[in-house]
Amino acid sequence: MVLKSYHYIPENTKKHHIRGSSPTLLKKLTEELEGAKKISISFFLYNNPYLHTFIEEMAKNGCEINIYTIPLNGYDVQKKRLYKSNYADKDAVETSKLEYAQKVYDKILSSSFNINLNIFPYTYIWKEQRFSRGSDLYSLHNKSILAEFSDGWKCITSSCNFALGDPPHSDSFLVINGDSNNNAVRIFKEYFSILDQISLSYSDYCKYSENYYDFDYSVSVVNLKDTFITDYFTAPFIKYDGVGSNRYVHNKILEMIKSAQERIYICSQHFGDILPFNPRDGSIVEALKKVEKKVDIKVLKQTRPWHQASPMRTDKTEKELRIHSNISQKVWHPIVHDKFIIVDNKVLVTTGNFMPTQFAWSDNRTMKYIVGGEQYERVRVFSEVNSYHFLEDAHITENYEKHFNHLWEKSECF
């Protein structure tokens, strides 16, 4: 098994780049995918024309492409001003995430290349919510790729959305090279196999949406035996050994934190895993408070309570951690978008933030939606889709530590 990681901190922190939030990482991603025979992409957002141009070239050369993403309803309609690398106003264009997603989706639909666009329209909410274009309702949040080569596979997990219209962010992505016996390869193949069976082709989704809302879409749960040890997906269609995937992975994170002897560094866009949705579950915040005082704990994030629509958990987290002398907190808004935890010489790399939403699981949750003043109820599984890698590799841990330290130096105390 060979591991690689790539990290990026923007130089211009004010203006949106036309290639997305992390243009350098986009270039590295395409380099990693060169020469693949088959590429499966599971992206929260898929609207980047520069990424898609590369994907088309791969398809022209015989690569089979399978893309799994969310409906157009999940894209922001607000127009953003996008700049080229010179950041000159005269070269800027204005567009929305939705406009380019529509262009990319339509281009795939009319293409003769071997590119399959699949929609996973699964929605999830804990409380009543209005259903409207651009709302963040969709379960699929991960940014994961499985690429097959003549000599093996690459599993890619990214904090970066690679989305056109995203603001400048710090981001990272992990590449795991392995054969068919590798833990990551096995769970990636399992994940994409299930996702392929339960998703709808874009043309079928368009027909489906003529008669149904996205919140009508449901899935069955597959119970997997945990033979993966270090690599996992959370999803509404996955349990491990009979336990909801989100709660299963959450327990592994808590065990990792409890094992700390020297340091815990947490880096996340949002951090507020306290007061869990499932009352009997523990939380990362409570676990941190119980760690021995000799352990150096640093929490780095992008958002404060006033940056969020529901600030209560973030506010409580900050107050709870502030009273512990071995815990430092910093923020860099709106830049930090990475998602990882370093514990001693180990690192967890994920696509998910560290909030109760990411770890909540409910088999039979009644979800309430309001459409045009009328309320609809649907009973389904509450779960977000993300990937998690628990790594004990000195080189990769060092890479993430260096990236964390660079971010920490640029961030502000509070």
Side-chain angles (χ1 to χ4, degrees):
M1 179 177 72
V2 178
L3 301 173
K4 287 188 281 185
S5 65
Y6 297 93
H7 308 270
Y8 173 78
I9 302 174
E11 292 183 7
N12 189 311
T13 60
K14 303 295 183 183
K15 296 181 177 180
H16 295 59
H17 197 280
I18 199 166
R19 291 179 180 265
S21 65
S22 307
T24 301
L25 291 187
L26 178 61
K27 183 175 185 294
K28 294 298 182 182
L29 177 67
T30 56
E31 290 172 357
E32 285 290 341
L33 295 176
E34 285 282 3
K37 300 191 302 180
K38 180 179 179 180
I39 299 174
S40 297
I41 299 172
S42 174
F43 271 17
F44 167 46
L45 302 172
Y46 188 82
N47 73 338
N48 191 312
Y50 298 93
L51 173 59
H52 188 66
T53 297
F54 167 79
I55 290 298
E56 282 190 332
E57 287 299 316
M58 293 291 291
K60 280 183 188 178
N61 294 327
C63 182
E64 177 187 341
I65 308 291
N66 296 295
I67 300 164
Y68 306 87
T69 188
I70 66 171
L72 292 171
N73 285 353
Y75 287 84
D76 189 357
V77 299
Q78 183 180 351
K79 288 185 179 291
K80 306 287 184 6
R81 195 166 178 80
L82 309 180
Y83 293 83
K84 296 181 180 179
S85 294
N86 59 7
Y87 292 101
D89 286 335
K90 65 182 178 66
D91 296 325
V93 297
E94 286 196 4
T95 187
S96 70
K97 290 184 179 182
L98 174 63
E99 287 176 357
Y100 257 91
Q102 182 74 71
K103 290 179 181 179
V104 172
Y105 285 25
D106 288 348
K107 194 174 184 182
I108 295 173
L109 195 63
S110 61
S111 173
S112 59
F113 304 132
N114 191 15
I115 303 176
N116 303 305
L117 175 62
N118 304 282
I119 302 298
F120 185 62
Y122 196 88
T123 65
Y124 76 132
I125 55 172
W126 198 261
K127 295 182 179 180
E128 183 179 82
Q129 187 163 344
R130 295 187 181 278
F131 187 82
S132 61
R133 181 177 294 278
S135 296
D136 188 12
L137 299 170
Y138 294 97
S139 173
L140 193 147
H141 181 263
N142 71 328
K143 286 73 67 172
S144 303
I145 298 175
L146 175 63
E148 181 180 354
F149 296 80
S150 57
D151 59 349
W153 284 265
K154 288 182 181 180
C155 301
I156 298 175
T157 283
S158 174
S159 67
C160 181
N161 293 324
F162 298 107
L164 191 83
D166 270 2
H169 282 148
S170 73
D171 270 308
S172 311
F173 75 85
L174 173 73
V175 183
I176 302 176
N177 295 61
D179 59 23
S180 56
N181 294 317
N182 177 267
N183 291 337
V185 173
R186 289 191 298 110
I187 189 58
F188 267 67
K189 290 171 73 174
E190 191 79 61
Y191 167 77
F192 278 106
S193 175
I194 301 171
L195 187 60
D196 185 70
Q197 295 173 48
I198 63 178
S199 297
L200 301 173
S201 70
Y202 183 48
S203 56
D204 284 347
Y205 169 75
C206 291
K207 296 174 185 175
Y208 172 89
S209 61
E210 291 176 0
N211 299 303
Y212 299 97
Y213 292 112
D214 290 342
F215 56 71
D216 289 316
Y217 180 81
S218 62
V219 296
S220 299
V221 179
V222 178
N223 186 35
L224 302 177
K225 182 175 176 58
D226 180 12
T227 61
F228 308 105
I229 314 300
T230 53
D231 304 270
Y232 300 92
F233 279 90
T234 62
F237 48 83
I238 295 177
K239 283 187 174 182
Y240 297 105
D241 294 336
V243 179
S245 51
N246 305 61
R247 301 177 80 176
Y248 194 90
V249 169
H250 192 211
N251 286 332
K252 287 196 165 287
I253 296 174
L254 298 182
E255 290 171 7
M256 181 182 182
I257 288 173
K258 291 172 185 176
S259 73
Q261 297 296 312
E262 297 178 358
R263 62 176 179 172
I264 301 172
Y265 297 166
I266 297 175
C267 186
S268 181
Q269 180 183 14
H270 310 298
F271 181 69
D273 183 34
I274 195 170
L275 303 175
F277 290 175
N278 303 107
R280 289 192 295 267
D281 291 352
S283 73
I284 293 177
V285 173
E286 291 303 315
L288 291 176
K289 289 161 58 178
K290 294 177 182 177
V291 169
E292 291 187 36
K293 297 302 180 185
K294 67 177 182 178
V295 177
D296 178 32
I297 301 175
K298 294 178 179 178
V299 176
L300 174 60
K301 59 182 183 174
Q302 180 195 126
T303 59
R304 299 293 306 278
W306 47 85
H307 297 132
Q308 299 170 341
S310 301
M312 183 268 292
R313 283 183 168 84
T314 298
D315 182 59
K316 185 172 178 59
T317 294
E318 292 183 1
K319 290 175 180 176
E320 292 279 327
L321 297 183
R322 194 174 290 133
I323 62 176
H324 295 268
S325 59
N326 63 322
I327 301 179
S328 305
Q329 302 179 77
K330 278 192 171 187
V331 64
W332 191 5
H333 179 82
I335 303 304
V336 173
H337 195 257
D338 307 82
K339 297 155 178 59
F340 63 91
I341 299 177
I342 298 171
V343 176
D344 297 337
N345 296 317
K346 299 171 286 188
V347 62
L348 164 66
V349 179
T350 176
T351 63
N353 290 295
F354 304 113
M355 299 290 287
T357 308
Q358 281 69 47
F359 304 120
W361 173 280
S362 182
D363 288 276
N364 296 292
R365 184 75 188 175
T366 299
M367 303 184 193
K368 300 178 181 180
Y369 300 86
I370 300 174
V371 183
E374 186 174 350
Q375 181 173 287
Y376 295 78
E377 292 187 0
R378 298 292 184 269
V379 178
R380 292 177 296 112
V381 174
F382 181 98
S383 167
E384 187 171 290
V385 180
N386 282 300
S387 61
Y388 295 83
H389 303 277
F390 296 85
L391 306 171
E392 193 165 358
D393 180 277
H395 177 65
I396 292 298
T397 303
E398 182 182 8
N399 286 350
Y400 276 90
E401 180 186 4
K402 287 180 179 178
H403 183 59
F404 182 90
N405 288 336
H406 289 155
L407 290 171
W408 189 259
E409 290 171 4
K410 293 175 177 287
S411 301
E412 297 178 356
C413 296
F414 60 87

